[in-house]
Amino acid sequence: MPIRIADEPLYSVVIGSGRALENIDAIRHIPGIAVQGRYDVVCPTESAWALRKAWPEMELIVATGSGHSAFEPEILHQLVLATDRVAYTAGEAVA
């Protein structure tokens, strides 16, 4: 079972710049969900925790049995759930 805690887009502006923690205020108001594999050696869990600390409004889901690939069953499942939640929330905002 994943440990839940919270992440989000504007990727190219904030996170893709390599300066996510410095630019976090630019996306702080946007609800976000991040899915992080506990055994990810490419993007270590410590990075996700640092982002979570800087952005407490973000939900961080740690896939406890997974690594880096979005195609690992646990991560894929959590990504689909997160996407469904965002789509549902966006639909409520539009209605």
Side-chain angles (χ1 to χ4, degrees):
M1 171 160 267
I3 301 166
R4 292 185 185 263
I5 311 154
D7 178 326
E8 163 7 55
L10 284 197
Y11 183 86
S12 61
V13 175
V14 179
I15 297 177
S17 69
R19 302 171 73 172
L21 298 180
E22 293 174 29
N23 298 322
I24 202 66
D25 288 336
I27 62 169
R28 223 189 170 97
H29 64 287
I30 302 171
I33 304 168
V35 177
Q36 171 72 39
R38 178 178 178 198
Y39 299 108
D40 188 338
V41 295
V42 178
C43 301
T45 306
E46 292 80 12
S47 300
W49 289 119
L51 182 60
R52 168 68 174 135
K53 282 174 37 180
W55 185 8
E57 301 84 4
M58 177 190 89
E59 178 181 356
L60 174 60
I61 300 170
V62 178
T64 57
S66 299
H68 183 73
S69 176
F71 298 106
E72 292 185 54
E74 183 181 16
I75 289 184
L76 182 59
H77 176 73
Q78 293 301 327
L79 288 171
V80 169
L81 290 176
T83 302
D84 287 348
R85 285 177 45 208
V86 170
Y88 178 79
T89 302
E92 284 185 337
V94 172

Coordinates of all heavy atoms in Angstrom, one line a residue:
M1 N 0.8 -1.2 0.0 CA 0.0 0.0 0.0 C 0.9 1.2 0.0 O 1.9 1.3 0.7 CB -0.9 0.0 1.2 CG -1.7 1.3 1.4 SD -3.1 1.1 2.5 CE -4.3 0.8 1.2
P2 N 0.6 2.2 -0.8 CA 1.4 3.4 -0.9 C 1.2 4.3 0.3 O 0.2 4.3 1.0 CB 0.9 4.1 -2.2 CG -0.4 3.6 -2.4 CD -0.5 2.2 -1.8
I3 N 2.3 5.1 0.6 CA 2.2 6.1 1.6 C 1.7 7.4 0.9 O 2.3 7.7 -0.1 CB 3.6 6.4 2.2 CG1 4.1 5.1 2.8 CG2 3.5 7.5 3.3 CD1 5.6 5.1 3.1
R4 N 0.7 8.0 1.4 CA 0.1 9.2 0.7 C 0.6 10.5 1.4 O 0.6 10.6 2.6 CB -1.4 9.2 0.7 CG -1.9 8.1 -0.2 CD -3.3 8.1 -0.4 NE -3.7 6.9 -1.1 CZ -3.9 7.0 -2.4 NH1 -3.8 8.1 -3.1 NH2 -4.2 5.9 -3.1
I5 N 1.0 11.4 0.7 CA 1.3 12.7 1.2 C 1.1 13.8 0.1 O 0.2 13.6 -0.5 CB 2.8 12.8 1.6 CG1 3.1 11.6 2.5 CG2 3.1 14.0 2.4 CD1 4.5 11.2 2.5
A6 N 1.5 14.6 -1.4 CA 0.9 15.4 -2.5 C 1.7 16.1 -3.6 O 2.7 16.6 -3.3 CB -0.1 16.4 -1.9
D7 N 1.8 16.6 -5.6 CA 2.6 17.3 -6.7 C 1.8 17.9 -7.8 O 0.6 17.8 -7.8 CB 3.5 16.2 -7.2 CG 4.4 16.7 -8.3 OD1 4.1 17.4 -9.2 OD2 5.5 16.1 -8.3
E8 N 2.4 18.4 -8.9 CA 1.7 19.1 -10.0 C 2.5 19.5 -11.3 O 3.7 19.4 -11.3 CB 1.0 20.3 -9.4 CG 0.5 21.4 -10.1 CD 0.5 21.5 -11.6 OE1 0.0 20.6 -12.2 OE2 1.1 22.4 -12.1
P9 N 1.8 20.0 -12.3 CA 2.4 20.5 -13.6 C 3.2 21.8 -13.6 O 3.9 22.1 -12.7 CB 1.2 20.5 -14.5 CG 0.3 19.5 -14.0 CD 0.5 19.5 -12.5
L10 N 3.0 22.6 -14.7 CA 3.8 23.7 -15.0 C 5.3 23.2 -15.1 O 6.2 23.9 -14.8 CB 3.7 24.9 -14.0 CG 2.5 25.7 -14.1 CD1 2.7 27.0 -13.4 CD2 2.0 26.0 -15.5
Y11 N 5.4 21.9 -15.5 CA 6.6 21.2 -15.5 C 7.8 22.0 -16.1 O 8.8 22.2 -15.5 CB 6.5 19.9 -16.1 CG 7.7 19.1 -16.1 CD1 8.0 18.3 -15.0 CD2 8.7 19.1 -17.1 CE1 9.2 17.5 -14.9 CE2 9.8 18.4 -17.0 CZ 10.1 17.6 -15.9 OH 11.2 16.9 -15.8
S12 N 7.6 22.4 -17.3 CA 8.7 23.1 -18.1 C 9.1 24.4 -17.4 O 10.3 24.8 -17.5 CB 8.3 23.3 -19.5 OG 7.2 24.1 -19.6
V13 N 8.2 25.1 -16.8 CA 8.5 26.4 -16.2 C 9.2 26.2 -14.8 O 10.2 26.9 -14.5 CB 7.3 27.2 -16.0 CG1 7.6 28.5 -15.3 CG2 6.7 27.5 -17.4
V14 N 8.7 25.3 -14.0 CA 9.1 25.2 -12.6 C 10.1 24.0 -12.4 O 11.2 24.2 -12.1 CB 7.9 25.1 -11.7 CG1 8.4 25.0 -10.2 CG2 7.1 26.3 -11.8
I15 N 9.6 22.8 -12.7 CA 10.4 21.6 -12.4 C 11.4 21.4 -13.5 O 12.5 21.1 -13.3 CB 9.5 20.4 -12.2 CG1 8.6 20.7 -10.9 CG2 10.3 19.1 -12.0 CD1 7.6 19.7 -10.5
G16 N 11.0 21.5 -14.8 CA 11.8 21.3 -15.9 C 13.0 22.2 -15.9 O 14.0 22.0 -16.6
S17 N 12.9 23.3 -15.2 CA 14.0 24.3 -15.2 C 15.1 23.8 -14.3 O 16.2 24.4 -14.3 CB 13.5 25.7 -14.7 OG 13.2 25.6 -13.3
G18 N 14.9 22.8 -13.5 CA 15.9 22.3 -12.6 C 15.9 23.2 -11.3 O 16.8 23.0 -10.5
R19 N 15.0 24.1 -11.2 CA 14.9 25.0 -10.1 C 13.6 24.9 -9.4 O 13.1 26.0 -8.9 CB 15.3 26.4 -10.6 CG 16.6 26.4 -11.3 CD 16.8 27.7 -11.9 NE 17.1 28.7 -10.9 CZ 17.5 30.0 -11.2 NH1 17.6 30.3 -12.4 NH2 17.7 30.8 -10.2
A20 N 13.0 23.8 -9.2 CA 11.7 23.6 -8.7 C 11.6 24.2 -7.3 O 10.6 24.9 -7.0 CB 11.3 22.1 -8.6
L21 N 12.5 24.0 -6.4 CA 12.4 24.5 -5.1 C 12.5 26.0 -5.0 O 11.8 26.6 -4.2 CB 13.5 23.8 -4.2 CG 13.4 22.3 -4.0 CD1 14.4 21.8 -3.1 CD2 12.0 21.9 -3.5
E22 N 13.3 26.6 -5.9 CA 13.4 28.0 -5.9 C 12.2 28.7 -6.5 O 11.9 29.8 -6.1 CB 14.6 28.4 -6.8 CG 16.0 28.1 -6.3 CD 17.1 28.4 -7.3 OE1 16.9 29.3 -8.1 OE2 18.1 27.6 -7.2
N23 N 11.5 28.0 -7.4 CA 10.3 28.6 -8.1 C 9.0 28.0 -7.6 O 8.0 28.2 -8.2 CB 10.4 28.3 -9.6 CG 11.6 28.9 -10.2 OD1 12.0 30.0 -9.8 ND2 12.3 28.2 -11.1
I24 N 9.0 27.4 -6.4 CA 7.8 26.7 -5.9 C 6.6 27.6 -5.7 O 5.4 27.2 -5.9 CB 8.1 25.9 -4.7 CG1 7.0 24.8 -4.5 CG2 8.2 26.7 -3.4 CD1 7.1 23.7 -5.5
D25 N 6.8 28.9 -5.4 CA 5.7 29.8 -5.2 C 4.9 30.0 -6.4 O 3.7 30.4 -6.4 CB 6.2 31.1 -4.6 CG 6.7 31.0 -3.2 OD1 6.2 30.1 -2.5 OD2 7.5 31.8 -2.7
A26 N 5.5 29.8 -7.6 CA 4.8 30.0 -8.9 C 3.7 29.0 -9.0 O 2.7 29.2 -9.8 CB 5.8 29.9 -10.0
I27 N 3.8 27.8 -8.4 CA 2.7 26.8 -8.5 C 2.0 26.4 -7.2 O 1.2 25.5 -7.2 CB 3.3 25.5 -9.2 CG1 4.4 24.9 -8.4 CG2 3.7 25.8 -10.6 CD1 4.8 23.5 -8.9
R28 N 2.4 27.0 -6.2 CA 1.9 26.7 -4.9 C 0.4 26.6 -4.8 O -0.2 25.8 -4.1 CB 2.4 27.7 -3.9 CG 2.8 27.1 -2.7 CD 3.1 28.2 -1.6 NE 3.3 27.3 -0.6 CZ 4.4 26.9 -0.1 NH1 5.5 27.4 -0.6 NH2 4.5 26.0 0.8
H29 N -0.3 27.5 -5.5 CA -1.7 27.6 -5.5 C -2.4 26.5 -6.3 O -3.6 26.4 -6.3 CB -2.1 29.0 -6.0 CG -1.8 29.2 -7.5 ND1 -0.5 29.4 -7.9 CD2 -2.5 29.2 -8.6 CE1 -0.5 29.5 -9.2 NE2 -1.7 29.4 -9.7
I30 N -1.7 25.8 -7.1 CA -2.2 24.7 -8.0 C -2.2 23.4 -7.2 O -1.1 23.0 -6.8 CB -1.4 24.6 -9.3 CG1 -1.4 25.9 -10.0 CG2 -2.0 23.5 -10.2 CD1 -0.5 26.0 -11.2
P31 N -3.3 22.7 -7.1 CA -3.3 21.4 -6.5 C -2.4 20.5 -7.3 O -2.4 20.5 -8.5 CB -4.8 20.9 -6.5 CG -5.6 22.2 -6.8 CD -4.7 23.1 -7.6
G32 N -1.7 19.6 -6.6 CA -0.8 18.7 -7.3 C -0.6 17.4 -6.7 O -0.9 17.3 -5.5
I33 N -0.3 16.4 -7.5 CA -0.1 15.0 -7.0 C 1.2 14.5 -7.6 O 1.4 14.6 -8.9 CB -1.2 14.1 -7.4 CG1 -2.6 14.6 -6.9 CG2 -1.0 12.7 -6.8 CD1 -3.8 13.9 -7.4
A34 N 2.1 14.0 -6.8 CA 3.3 13.3 -7.4 C 3.3 11.9 -7.0 O 2.9 11.5 -5.9 CB 4.6 14.0 -6.8
V35 N 3.7 11.0 -7.9 CA 3.9 9.6 -7.6 C 5.4 9.3 -7.7 O 6.0 9.6 -8.7 CB 3.1 8.7 -8.6 CG1 3.3 7.3 -8.3 CG2 1.6 9.1 -8.6
Q36 N 5.9 8.8 -6.6 CA 7.4 8.5 -6.5 C 7.6 7.1 -6.1 O 7.0 6.6 -5.2 CB 7.9 9.4 -5.4 CG 9.3 9.1 -5.0 CD 10.3 9.5 -6.0 OE1 10.2 10.6 -6.6 NE2 11.4 8.8 -6.2
G37 N 8.5 6.4 -6.9 CA 8.9 5.0 -6.5 C 9.9 5.0 -5.4 O 10.9 5.8 -5.5
R38 N 9.6 4.3 -4.4 CA 10.5 4.2 -3.2 C 12.0 3.8 -3.6 O 12.9 4.3 -3.1 CB 10.0 3.2 -2.2 CG 10.9 3.1 -1.0 CD 10.3 2.1 0.0 NE 11.2 1.9 1.1 CZ 11.1 0.9 2.0 NH1 10.1 0.1 1.8 NH2 11.9 0.8 3.0
Y39 N 12.1 2.9 -4.6 CA 13.4 2.4 -5.0 C 13.9 3.0 -6.3 O 14.8 2.5 -7.0 CB 13.3 0.9 -5.2 CG 12.9 0.2 -3.9 CD1 11.7 -0.4 -3.7 CD2 13.8 0.1 -2.8 CE1 11.3 -1.0 -2.6 CE2 13.5 -0.5 -1.7 CZ 12.2 -1.1 -1.5 OH 11.9 -1.7 -0.3
D40 N 13.4 4.2 -6.6 CA 13.9 5.0 -7.7 C 15.3 5.5 -7.5 O 15.5 6.3 -6.6 CB 12.9 6.2 -8.0 CG 13.2 6.9 -9.3 OD1 14.3 6.8 -9.8 OD2 12.3 7.6 -9.7
V41 N 16.2 5.0 -8.3 CA 17.6 5.5 -8.2 C 17.9 6.6 -9.2 O 19.0 7.3 -9.0 CB 18.7 4.3 -8.4 CG1 18.5 3.3 -7.3 CG2 18.5 3.7 -9.7
V42 N 17.1 6.9 -10.1 CA 17.2 7.9 -11.1 C 16.8 9.3 -10.4 O 17.5 10.3 -10.5 CB 16.4 7.7 -12.4 CG1 16.6 8.9 -13.3 CG2 16.8 6.4 -13.0
C43 N 15.6 9.3 -9.8 CA 15.1 10.4 -9.1 C 14.9 10.0 -7.6 O 13.8 9.5 -7.3 CB 13.8 10.9 -9.7 SG 13.9 11.4 -11.4
P44 N 15.9 10.1 -6.8 CA 15.8 9.5 -5.4 C 14.6 10.1 -4.6 O 14.2 11.3 -4.8 CB 17.1 9.9 -4.8 CG 18.0 10.3 -5.9 CD 17.1 10.8 -7.0
T45 N 14.1 9.3 -3.7 CA 13.0 9.7 -2.9 C 13.3 10.9 -2.1 O 12.4 11.7 -1.8 CB 12.6 8.5 -1.9 OG1 12.4 7.3 -2.7 CG2 11.4 8.8 -1.1
E46 N 14.5 11.2 -1.8 CA 14.9 12.4 -1.0 C 14.5 13.6 -1.8 O 14.1 14.6 -1.2 CB 16.4 12.4 -0.7 CG 16.9 11.3 0.3 CD 17.1 10.0 -0.4 OE1 17.0 9.8 -1.6 OE2 17.2 9.0 0.4
S47 N 14.6 13.6 -3.1 CA 14.2 14.7 -3.9 C 12.7 15.0 -3.8 O 12.2 16.1 -3.7 CB 14.5 14.5 -5.4 OG 15.9 14.3 -5.5
A48 N 11.9 13.9 -3.8 CA 10.4 14.1 -3.6 C 10.1 14.6 -2.2 O 9.2 15.5 -2.1 CB 9.8 12.7 -3.8
W49 N 10.8 14.2 -1.2 CA 10.5 14.7 0.1 C 10.9 16.1 0.2 O 10.2 16.9 0.9 CB 11.3 13.9 1.2 CG 10.8 12.5 1.4 CD1 11.4 11.3 1.2 CD2 9.5 12.1 1.8 NE1 10.6 10.2 1.5 CE2 9.4 10.7 1.9 CE3 8.3 12.8 2.2 CZ2 8.3 10.0 2.3 CZ3 7.2 12.1 2.6 CH2 7.2 10.7 2.6
A50 N 12.0 16.5 -0.4 CA 12.4 18.0 -0.4 C 11.3 18.8 -1.1 O 11.0 19.9 -0.6 CB 13.8 18.1 -1.1
L51 N 10.8 18.3 -2.2 CA 9.7 19.0 -2.9 C 8.5 19.1 -2.0 O 7.9 20.2 -1.9 CB 9.4 18.4 -4.2 CG 8.3 19.0 -5.1 CD1 8.7 20.5 -5.4 CD2 8.1 18.2 -6.3
R52 N 8.2 18.0 -1.4 CA 7.0 18.0 -0.5 C 7.1 19.0 0.7 O 6.2 19.7 1.1 CB 6.8 16.6 0.1 CG 5.8 16.4 1.2 CD 4.4 16.7 0.7 NE 3.6 16.4 1.9 CZ 2.6 17.2 2.2 NH1 2.2 18.2 1.6 NH2 1.8 16.8 3.3
K53 N 8.3 19.1 1.2 CA 8.6 20.0 2.3 C 8.4 21.4 1.9 O 7.9 22.3 2.6 CB 10.0 19.8 2.9 CG 10.0 18.6 3.9 CD 11.3 18.2 4.4 CE 12.3 19.3 4.7 NZ 13.6 18.8 5.2
A54 N 8.9 21.7 0.6 CA 8.8 23.1 0.1 C 7.4 23.4 -0.4 O 7.0 24.5 -0.5 CB 9.8 23.2 -1.1
W55 N 6.6 22.3 -0.7 CA 5.2 22.5 -1.2 C 4.3 21.6 -0.4 O 3.9 20.6 -0.9 CB 5.2 22.1 -2.7 CG 4.0 22.3 -3.4 CD1 2.8 22.9 -3.0 CD2 3.7 21.9 -4.8 NE1 1.9 22.9 -4.0 CE2 2.4 22.3 -5.1 CE3 4.5 21.2 -5.7 CZ2 1.9 22.0 -6.3 CZ3 3.9 21.0 -7.0 CH2 2.6 21.4 -7.3
P56 N 4.0 22.0 0.8 CA 3.2 21.1 1.7 C 1.7 20.9 1.1 O 1.1 19.9 1.5 CB 3.1 21.8 3.0 CG 3.6 23.2 2.8 CD 4.4 23.2 1.5
E57 N 1.3 21.7 0.2 CA 0.0 21.5 -0.4 C 0.0 20.4 -1.4 O -1.1 19.9 -1.8 CB -0.5 22.8 -1.1 CG -0.6 24.0 -0.2 CD 0.7 24.7 0.0 OE1 1.8 24.4 -0.6 OE2 0.7 25.7 0.8
M58 N 1.1 20.0 -1.9 CA 1.3 18.9 -2.8 C 1.0 17.5 -2.2 O 1.4 17.3 -1.0 CB 2.7 18.9 -3.4 CG 3.0 17.8 -4.3 SD 4.7 17.7 -4.7 CE 5.3 16.6 -3.4
E59 N 0.3 16.6 -2.9 CA 0.2 15.3 -2.4 C 1.3 14.4 -3.0 O 1.5 14.4 -4.2 CB -1.2 14.7 -2.8 CG -1.4 13.3 -2.3 CD -2.7 12.7 -2.7 OE1 -3.5 13.4 -3.3 OE2 -2.9 11.5 -2.5
L60 N 2.0 13.7 -2.1 CA 3.1 12.8 -2.6 C 2.6 11.4 -2.3 O 2.3 11.1 -1.2 CB 4.4 13.1 -1.9 CG 5.5 12.2 -2.2 CD1 5.9 12.2 -3.6 CD2 6.7 12.6 -1.3
I61 N 2.6 10.6 -3.3 CA 2.2 9.2 -3.2 C 3.5 8.4 -3.4 O 4.1 8.5 -4.5 CB 1.2 8.8 -4.2 CG1 -0.1 9.6 -4.0 CG2 0.9 7.3 -4.1 CD1 -1.2 9.4 -5.0
V62 N 4.0 7.7 -2.4 CA 5.2 6.9 -2.5 C 4.8 5.4 -2.8 O 4.1 4.8 -2.0 CB 6.1 7.0 -1.3 CG1 7.3 6.1 -1.4 CG2 6.5 8.4 -1.0
A63 N 5.1 5.0 -4.0 CA 4.9 3.6 -4.4 C 6.0 2.7 -3.7 O 7.1 2.7 -4.2 CB 4.9 3.4 -5.9
T64 N 5.6 2.1 -2.6 CA 6.6 1.4 -1.8 C 7.4 0.2 -2.4 O 8.4 -0.1 -1.9 CB 6.0 1.0 -0.4 OG1 4.9 0.1 -0.7 CG2 5.5 2.2 0.3
G65 N 6.8 -0.3 -3.5 CA 7.5 -1.5 -4.1 C 8.0 -1.2 -5.4 O 8.4 -2.1 -6.2
S66 N 8.1 0.1 -5.8 CA 8.5 0.4 -7.2 C 9.8 1.2 -7.3 O 10.2 1.8 -6.3 CB 7.3 1.2 -7.8 OG 6.2 0.4 -7.9
G67 N 10.3 1.3 -8.5 CA 11.5 2.1 -8.8 C 11.1 3.3 -9.6 O 10.2 4.1 -9.3
H68 N 11.7 3.5 -10.8 CA 11.6 4.7 -11.6 C 10.5 4.6 -12.7 O 9.9 5.6 -13.0 CB 12.9 5.0 -12.2 CG 12.9 6.3 -13.0 ND1 12.9 7.5 -12.4 CD2 13.0 6.5 -14.3 CE1 12.9 8.5 -13.3 NE2 13.0 7.9 -14.5
S69 N 10.3 3.5 -13.2 CA 9.4 3.4 -14.4 C 8.0 3.6 -14.2 O 7.4 3.0 -13.3 CB 9.6 2.0 -15.1 OG 8.7 1.8 -16.2
A70 N 7.4 4.4 -15.0 CA 5.9 4.7 -15.0 C 5.1 3.4 -15.4 O 3.9 3.4 -15.2 CB 5.6 5.8 -15.9
F71 N 5.8 2.4 -15.9 CA 5.2 1.2 -16.4 C 5.2 0.1 -15.3 O 4.6 -1.0 -15.6 CB 5.8 0.7 -17.7 CG 5.6 1.7 -18.8 CD1 6.7 2.4 -19.2 CD2 4.4 1.9 -19.4 CE1 6.6 3.4 -20.2 CE2 4.2 2.9 -20.4 CZ 5.3 3.6 -20.8
E72 N 5.8 0.4 -14.2 CA 5.7 -0.6 -13.1 C 4.2 -0.6 -12.6 O 3.6 0.4 -12.5 CB 6.6 -0.3 -12.0 CG 8.1 -0.4 -12.4 CD 9.0 -0.1 -11.2 OE1 8.9 -0.8 -10.2 OE2 10.0 0.7 -11.4
P73 N 3.7 -1.8 -12.3 CA 2.3 -1.9 -12.0 C 1.8 -1.0 -10.9 O 0.7 -0.3 -11.1 CB 2.1 -3.4 -11.7 CG 3.1 -4.1 -12.4 CD 4.3 -3.1 -12.4
E74 N 2.5 -0.9 -9.8 CA 2.1 0.0 -8.7 C 2.1 1.5 -9.1 O 1.1 2.2 -8.8 CB 3.0 -0.3 -7.5 CG 2.5 0.5 -6.3 CD 3.4 0.3 -5.1 OE1 4.6 -0.2 -5.2 OE2 3.0 0.7 -4.0
I75 N 3.1 1.9 -9.8 CA 3.2 3.3 -10.2 C 2.2 3.6 -11.2 O 1.5 4.6 -11.1 CB 4.6 3.7 -10.7 CG1 5.6 3.7 -9.5 CG2 4.6 5.0 -11.4 CD1 7.0 4.1 -9.9
L76 N 2.0 2.7 -12.2 CA 1.0 2.9 -13.2 C -0.4 3.1 -12.6 O -1.2 3.9 -12.9 CB 1.0 1.8 -14.2 CG 0.1 1.9 -15.4 CD1 0.3 3.2 -16.2 CD2 0.2 0.7 -16.3
H77 N -0.7 2.2 -11.6 CA -2.0 2.2 -11.0 C -2.2 3.6 -10.2 O -3.2 4.2 -10.3 CB -2.1 1.1 -9.9 CG -3.3 1.1 -9.1 ND1 -4.5 0.7 -9.6 CD2 -3.5 1.4 -7.8 CE1 -5.4 0.8 -8.7 NE2 -4.8 1.2 -7.6
Q78 N -1.2 4.0 -9.5 CA -1.3 5.3 -8.8 C -1.4 6.5 -9.7 O -2.1 7.5 -9.5 CB -0.1 5.5 -7.8 CG -0.1 4.5 -6.7 CD -1.3 4.6 -5.8 OE1 -1.9 5.6 -5.7 NE2 -1.8 3.4 -5.3
L79 N -0.7 6.4 -10.9 CA -0.8 7.5 -11.9 C -2.2 7.6 -12.4 O -2.7 8.7 -12.6 CB 0.2 7.3 -13.0 CG 1.7 7.5 -12.6 CD1 2.6 7.1 -13.7 CD2 1.9 9.0 -12.3
V80 N -2.8 6.4 -12.7 CA -4.2 6.4 -13.2 C -5.1 7.0 -12.2 O -6.0 7.8 -12.5 CB -4.6 5.0 -13.7 CG1 -6.1 4.9 -14.0 CG2 -3.8 4.6 -14.9
L81 N -5.0 6.5 -10.9 CA -5.8 7.1 -9.9 C -5.7 8.6 -9.7 O -6.7 9.3 -9.6 CB -5.5 6.4 -8.5 CG -5.9 4.9 -8.4 CD1 -5.5 4.4 -7.0 CD2 -7.4 4.8 -8.6
A82 N -4.4 9.1 -9.8 CA -4.2 10.5 -9.6 C -4.8 11.3 -10.8 O -5.4 12.3 -10.6 CB -2.7 10.8 -9.5
T83 N -4.6 10.7 -12.0 CA -5.2 11.4 -13.2 C -6.7 11.4 -13.1 O -7.3 12.4 -13.5 CB -4.7 10.6 -14.5 OG1 -3.3 10.6 -14.5 CG2 -5.2 11.3 -15.7
D84 N -7.3 10.3 -12.7 CA -8.8 10.3 -12.6 C -9.2 11.4 -11.6 O -10.2 12.0 -11.8 CB -9.2 8.9 -12.1 CG -9.2 7.9 -13.2 OD1 -9.0 8.3 -14.4 OD2 -9.3 6.7 -12.9
R85 N -8.5 11.5 -10.4 CA -8.9 12.5 -9.4 C -8.8 13.9 -10.0 O -9.6 14.7 -9.8 CB -8.0 12.3 -8.2 CG -8.4 11.1 -7.4 CD -7.5 10.9 -6.2 NE -7.2 12.1 -5.4 CZ -6.1 12.3 -4.7 NH1 -5.2 11.4 -4.7 NH2 -5.9 13.4 -4.1
V86 N -7.7 14.2 -10.7 CA -7.5 15.5 -11.3 C -8.6 15.8 -12.3 O -9.2 16.9 -12.4 CB -6.1 15.6 -12.0 CG1 -6.0 16.9 -12.8 CG2 -5.0 15.6 -10.9
A87 N -8.9 14.8 -13.2 CA -10.0 14.9 -14.2 C -11.3 15.2 -13.5 O -12.1 16.0 -13.9 CB -10.0 13.7 -15.1
Y88 N -11.6 14.5 -12.4 CA -12.9 14.6 -11.7 C -12.9 16.0 -11.1 O -14.0 16.7 -11.2 CB -13.0 13.6 -10.6 CG -14.3 13.7 -9.8 CD1 -15.5 13.2 -10.3 CD2 -14.2 14.3 -8.6 CE1 -16.6 13.4 -9.6 CE2 -15.4 14.4 -7.8 CZ -16.6 14.0 -8.3 OH -17.7 14.1 -7.6
T89 N -11.9 16.5 -10.5 CA -11.8 17.8 -9.9 C -12.0 18.9 -10.9 O -12.7 19.9 -10.7 CB -10.5 18.0 -9.1 OG1 -10.4 16.9 -8.1 CG2 -10.4 19.3 -8.4
A90 N -11.3 18.7 -12.1 CA -11.4 19.7 -13.1 C -12.8 19.7 -13.7 O -13.4 20.8 -14.0 CB -10.4 19.4 -14.3
G91 N -13.5 18.6 -13.8 CA -14.9 18.5 -14.2 C -15.8 19.2 -13.3 O -16.7 19.9 -13.7
E92 N -15.5 19.1 -12.0 CA -16.4 19.8 -11.0 C -16.2 21.3 -11.1 O -17.1 22.1 -11.0 CB -16.0 19.4 -9.6 CG -16.5 18.1 -9.2 CD -16.2 17.8 -7.7 OE1 -15.2 18.4 -7.2 OE2 -16.9 17.0 -7.1
A93 N -14.9 21.8 -11.4 CA -14.7 23.2 -11.5 C -15.3 23.8 -12.8 O -15.7 24.9 -12.8 CB -13.1 23.4 -11.6
V94 N -15.5 23.0 -13.8 CA -16.1 23.5 -15.0 C -17.6 23.5 -14.9 O -18.3 24.4 -15.4 CB -15.7 22.6 -16.2 CG1 -16.5 22.9 -17.5 CG2 -14.2 22.7 -16.5
A95 N -18.2 22.5 -14.2 CA -19.6 22.4 -14.1 C -20.3 23.6 -13.3 O -19.8 24.4 -12.7 CB -20.0 21.1 -13.4

